[in-house]
Amino acid sequence: MKINKLNLKNILEADTCPIRLVLDRIGEKWSMLILLLLRDHGVMRFNEIDKAIGDISQKMLAKTLKTLEADGFITRKVYPTVPPKVEYTLTELGLDLVPYIENISVWAFNNLETILNNRKEFEK
C-alpha cells in the first residue's frame, strides 16, 4: 500500500492508526535489538539475550519479550525442567519484519555521525 497525502490524513485521524500501533512496539528501545539477535542466533534463552545486550534490566527484557510475543514477532517455548528452560525464536511475522529493521539499522549506522553533529549544533 502506498501512502499518499489523502489516505495518510485518514490513517492519522483513525483511532487505530497502524503506523502508531506497530511502531510504538517495534520502535521501543530494545525491540529491534532483540529481533536482530534472534535473527542471528535462531534460538536464544533469556540469559543469553540478557548477556548479549548487556545494559538492559531483567525486568525490561522480560517486558519487551512479552510484548514481542504478544504481537506475534517471537515465540516462547517453555521446557518442563527445574529450573524451567525457556527459549525464544522469531516467528514468520518476525522474520518478515527483520529486513526492514536491517534497512533502518544500516541507515542509522551510515547517518549516526551526521545526527550526532546536528545534535551538538542544535544544543549551542
Side-chain angles (χ1 to χ4, degrees):
M1 172 176 163
K2 184 175 181 179
I3 298 176
N4 60 35
K5 288 181 184 180
L6 180 61
N7 64 9
L8 179 60
K9 184 176 188 260
N10 292 336
I11 290 170
L12 295 176
E13 290 178 359
D15 291 337
T16 58
C17 173
I19 296 168
R20 288 183 232 177
L21 291 172
V22 173
L23 289 183
D24 279 352
R25 288 312 252 290
I26 63 168
E28 290 178 346
K29 184 176 182 178
W30 305 107
S31 295
M32 287 194 226
L33 293 175
I34 292 169
L35 293 169
L36 291 173
L37 277 171
L38 291 173
R39 177 221 41 206
D40 286 351
H41 296 275
V43 177
M44 293 184 81
R45 296 179 67 183
F46 183 93
N47 287 334
E48 293 172 325
I49 298 169
D50 185 33
K51 287 176 187 172
I53 294 177
D55 59 341
I56 186 172
S57 70
Q58 289 193 345
K59 181 179 177 181
M60 182 53 70
L61 177 56
K63 178 182 181 266
T64 305
L65 288 168
K66 283 181 184 179
T67 60
L68 290 172
E69 182 183 10
D71 286 348
F73 295 119
I74 64 172
T75 58
R76 177 180 182 262
K77 184 173 182 180
V78 180
Y79 295 90
T81 60
V82 178
K85 178 181 174 182
V86 180
E87 294 179 336
Y88 297 90
T89 57
L90 289 174
T91 63
E92 288 298 319
L93 185 63
L95 289 167
D96 188 47
L97 175 61
V98 165
Y100 299 100
I101 294 172
E102 289 170 338
N103 286 336
I104 291 170
S105 300
V106 168
W107 183 89
F109 279 107
N110 290 339
N111 292 283
L112 179 60
E113 186 176 341
T114 301
I115 292 168
L116 293 176
N117 288 335
N118 289 342
R119 289 178 185 173
K120 285 180 187 174
E121 287 297 316
F122 185 80
E123 292 171 0
K124 288 183 181 179

